[in-house]
Amino acid sequence: MLDSNYYKVGGSLEYQHPTYVVRQADAQLYQGLMNGEFCYVLNSRQMGKSSLRVQMTKKLKVQGVKCAAIDMTRIGSHVTPEEWYGGLVSELLRGFRLSRKINFSNWWRDRSVL
């Protein structure tokens, strides 16, 4: 039986997509994250980083771990350190769906001395 969605061109593969190749690094990343270690994935373009993020996020959420993806391009590259950190916090609020619960402007202003 031929599934018309078997091949995917461009973008991340969905969770447990039949063409996703599980690598040893997947298990190492998962274990490191579950151990509370700082982990990062560094590789060249088109090597499965985004698909790995999709797989890991789903697997961690099943374990009850809260996850948020941060799009660093939304923060920008020609910004002050304060704007960069503000963008990072803003992305975390968005990723954890806290934007409506926490007033970012007030929160950020209250911590300006930090």
Side-chain angles (χ1 to χ4, degrees):
M1 175 188 206
L2 187 61
D3 184 359
S4 63
N5 294 323
Y6 186 76
Y7 292 105
K8 174 137 170 59
V9 178
S12 304
L13 296 174
E14 294 82 16
Y15 181 64
Q16 293 185 333
H17 192 276
T19 62
Y20 182 78
V21 176
V22 178
R23 299 161 281 194
Q24 181 180 356
D26 294 43
Q28 292 170 332
L29 177 61
Y30 175 75
Q31 196 58 53
L33 292 170
M34 290 302 290
N35 289 339
E37 298 171 14
F38 173 77
C39 301
Y40 62 92
V41 176
L42 180 64
N43 208 338
S44 58
R45 296 181 72 241
Q46 304 295 315
M47 296 301 295
K49 296 178 300 293
S50 295
S51 296
L52 173 60
R53 178 186 48 80
V54 169
Q55 304 302 310
M56 242 358 85
T57 299
K58 179 67 174 180
K59 194 170 181 177
L60 290 168
K61 283 183 176 180
V62 166
Q63 296 296 318
V65 177
K66 303 286 186 205
C67 301
I70 300 172
D71 183 353
M72 300 300 277
T73 62
R74 289 174 53 113
I75 297 172
S77 57
H78 300 291
V79 295
T80 66
E82 183 175 279
E83 291 169 331
W84 190 87
Y85 283 109
L88 182 65
V89 170
S90 181
E91 282 292 295
L92 287 170
L93 291 174
R94 185 189 58 75
F96 287 117
R97 297 186 175 145
L98 296 171
S99 298
R100 293 186 177 163
K101 294 180 180 180
I102 297 172
N103 182 309
F104 171 73
S105 297
N106 292 341
W107 186 91
W108 188 247
R109 185 187 64 244
D110 293 344
R111 287 153 183 81
S112 64
V113 295
L114 299 178

